[in-house]
């Protein structure tokens, strides 16, 4: 199914801005983009799409289930394509790099802990914050005694 048909199938008109933004998410090397990231990328492609339109389209795509929104420690929302599979995230608190991962042992442990407490998990998100390998060691560390 082409993009225009997909958008029409979920009740959204296939406008130029929607198609450009969807194409950006599908073809970007970066999987997690903020509205500002989308705006900068579209500007670099000489696309005349305003920031307000980008926010509106991102919200529509989230409501339609095309995108998933995350709020990492940066304080701004980032979006990624909803590809249906569950995964967790590691976020570098220095550069903002996001690394996705999936570990069946972690998933099983979470389910086992929940069951021990009489709890059934409906959905969850796991975010680990630290330093990526690119940032580790780039600034002097101070140690307390």
């Amino acid at each position: 199914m082409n993009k225009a048909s997909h958008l029409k199938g979920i009740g959204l008109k296939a406008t130029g801005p929607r198609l450009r933004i969807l194409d950006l998410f599908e073809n970007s090397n970066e999987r997690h983009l903020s509205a500002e990231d989308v705006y900068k990328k579209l500007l670099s492609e000489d696309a005349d799409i305003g920031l307000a339109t980008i926010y509106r389209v991102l919200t529509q795509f989230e409501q339609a289930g095309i995108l998933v929104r995350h709020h990492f420690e940066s304080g701004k929302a980032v979006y990624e394509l909803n590809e249906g599979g569950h995964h967790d995230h590691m976020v570098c608190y220095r550069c903002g790099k996001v690394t996705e991962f999936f570990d069946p042992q972690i998933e099983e442990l979470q389910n086992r802990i929940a069951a021990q407490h009489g709890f059934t998990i409906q959905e969850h998100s796991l975010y680990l914050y630290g330093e990526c390998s690119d940032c580790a060691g780039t600034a002097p560390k101070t140690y307390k005694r």
Side-chain angles (χ1 to χ4, degrees), residues 19-145:
L19 291 170
R20 289 291 297 266
I21 292 170
L22 183 56
D23 186 61
L24 180 68
F25 274 93
E26 290 177 340
N27 296 306
S28 176
N29 291 333
E30 297 175 58
R31 292 189 34 86
H32 302 86
L33 300 169
S34 69
E36 292 81 8
D37 296 332
V38 171
Y39 181 68
K40 288 175 189 171
K41 287 183 180 292
L42 292 173
L43 270 181
S44 72
E45 298 172 4
D46 292 324
D48 188 24
I49 301 173
L51 193 55
T53 299
I54 291 168
Y55 275 107
R56 187 170 44 256
V57 170
L58 294 176
T59 299
Q60 292 166 344
F61 283 0
E62 179 191 6
Q63 291 171 346
I66 296 170
L67 298 177
V68 176
R69 179 175 52 173
H70 299 282
H71 289 282
F72 299 131
E73 288 291 309
S74 67
K76 62 182 175 184
V78 295
Y79 298 83
E80 70 175 312
L81 276 177
N82 182 359
E83 297 175 321
H86 171 75
H87 58 268
D88 297 307
H89 299 89
M90 292 183 283
V91 182
C92 179
Y93 69 88
R94 293 184 64 193
C95 72
K97 177 181 174 184
V98 178
T99 304
E100 297 175 355
F101 71 97
F102 176 80
D103 187 309
Q105 291 176 313
I106 291 175
E107 300 302 315
E108 174 56 34
L109 180 59
Q110 290 173 122
N111 288 326
R112 193 168 64 240
I113 291 169
Q116 289 171 353
H117 293 275
F119 191 81
T120 303
I121 298 173
Q122 300 300 319
E123 63 180 81
H124 77 279
S125 298
L126 176 63
Y127 303 124
L128 303 176
Y129 296 95
E131 285 183 328
C132 70
S133 60
D134 294 335
C135 290
T138 58
K141 296 185 186 264
T142 56
Y143 296 96
K144 292 184 180 179
R145 291 186 175 197

